[in-house]
Amino acid sequence: MSEYTDHDAIVHDAIVLAGGAARRLGGADKPALSVGGRPLLDRVLAACPDAAITVVVGPGRPAARAVVHALEDPPGGGPLAALDAGIRHTTAPTVLVLSADLPFLTVTTVRNLLETAVRTAARDGAMLQDASGRDQPLVAAYRAAALRRELARVRAARGTLTGLPLRAVLAGLRLERVPDAVSADSFDCDTWEDVSAARARIREHGHVLDEWITAVKAELGIELDVDTAALLDVARDAAHGVTRPAAPLTTFLIGYAAGRQGRDVKELADRAAALANRWAAEAAESAGAAGSGGGTGGEVKPAE
């Protein structure tokens, strides 16, 4: 158990490596490829929202939030050169290092890596390990001082960082492994088959609604906790108890009230559902009264 219970207490920066030739994708701009209607780069940025400084290393491209753009020298110099270019813009004691093609990376996994990285002085960081046991150095949190030390060591020994693999630096780091049991967070999009698989997965039952809501919030620039089950329940109640068009309009009004008033979506949904149920009950009572002849006593007044 980490001694850090407040995630915000872990001061950190993030480096997102967004270069590379993407040869297996025919040279496509991989970080800009859309999965679930959102660029891969934006999906990765959404997983590290608490970084004090976020550096994106690679050709300049739009991003969903403010980032520092950096470029390795020379361009296309490989992941180690890109890492060196990125860390020059960071100041925090802990730095996340992420590739820009991780469609399913979550905030929970990122925070787990951060907690593990700072938990003990005996380690230089924490790295994700996929279900097959492969290390994922581009889904990791490192102690910045240790990373700078190893980059300097490799540069002194080799005379350059250009073209060198990440393992040249990893060899000198003591890293804790964090298992990715189902290899979801470590899934990357290296080929068109990977991209197609990612696009198919988000449309699976159990994923599609959460993915859609997240995409809509990102597109609209809002941050609002959405209780999907509560909203679906109230939409059902409004459709059945009032009229079908009441369902989307009611959920819209709940979201609007939550956003404007800062109120809990679940509380508002419960109140709207109770209103829909009262509405339905009144309709049922009226129908029953009409069926029994009308009036409060069920008697029909004779015609004059």
Side-chain angles (χ1 to χ4, degrees):
M1 184 71 178
S2 171
E3 62 182 296
Y4 294 87
T5 56
D6 181 357
H7 300 303
D8 293 333
I10 304 175
V11 178
H12 66 281
D13 294 328
I15 301 171
V16 181
L17 303 190
R23 293 182 180 87
R24 287 191 282 173
L25 285 166
D29 185 5
K30 181 162 61 170
L33 291 177
S34 174
V35 173
R38 302 161 64 202
L40 284 169
L41 175 59
D42 286 350
R43 295 180 74 92
V44 173
L45 292 176
C48 54
D50 301 325
I53 297 171
T54 301
V55 186
V56 176
V57 185
R61 55 175 65 84
R65 59 180 173 84
V67 299
V68 175
H69 289 283
L71 191 63
E72 66 271 30
D73 185 19
L80 212 56
L83 182 56
D84 182 62
I87 203 168
R88 293 173 183 272
H89 295 274
T90 67
T91 59
T94 304
V95 60
L96 286 166
V97 177
L98 306 169
S99 62
D101 60 348
L102 303 165
F104 305 121
L105 183 65
T106 65
V107 172
T108 298
T109 292
V110 164
R111 288 173 172 169
N112 190 18
L113 286 167
L114 288 167
E115 288 190 353
T116 304
V118 303
R119 184 162 50 201
T120 172
R123 292 286 183 266
D124 295 319
M127 175 170 55
L128 206 64
Q129 188 177 68
D130 69 20
S132 68
R134 290 182 300 179
D135 289 339
Q136 303 293 322
L138 295 184
V139 194
Y142 299 95
R143 292 184 183 272
L147 201 53
R148 290 191 177 94
R149 179 196 72 215
E150 290 305 304
L151 286 167
R153 177 186 63 78
V154 173
R155 185 186 290 106
R158 305 285 189 92
T160 183
L161 297 176
T162 300
L164 296 180
L166 283 169
R167 62 175 177 272
V169 158
L170 296 178
L173 296 173
R174 300 160 298 173
L175 301 174
E176 188 85 11
R177 269 62 178 180
V178 175
D180 181 13
V182 295
S183 295
D185 289 89
S186 57
F187 181 92
D188 56 7
C189 293
D190 287 332
T191 66
W192 285 114
E193 289 76 13
D194 295 335
V195 174
S196 294
R199 289 171 172 170
R201 182 181 184 275
I202 65 170
R203 288 177 169 80
E204 293 175 357
H205 180 71
H207 296 288
V208 64
L209 276 178
D210 286 341
E211 288 284 353
W212 171 249
I213 289 169
T214 299
V216 170
K217 290 194 295 184
E219 188 72 18
L220 299 180
I222 59 175
E223 186 52 52
L224 178 68
D225 288 334
V226 177
D227 190 323
T228 304
L231 287 178
L232 289 177
D233 285 345
V234 73
R236 178 202 62 208
D237 292 341
H240 291 172
V242 185
T243 182
R244 292 190 66 83
L249 291 172
T250 302
T251 53
F252 163 76
L253 292 172
I254 290 170
Y256 182 83
R260 285 295 297 255
Q261 302 171 11
R263 297 171 65 185
D264 181 65
V265 169
K266 180 65 165 59
E267 175 207 346
L268 293 168
D270 286 346
R271 294 188 62 177
L275 174 61
N277 289 332
R278 292 197 302 271
W279 190 292
E282 290 176 8
E285 288 175 4
S286 297
S292 63
T296 58
E299 297 178 355
V300 180
K301 183 179 180 179
E304 295 294 341

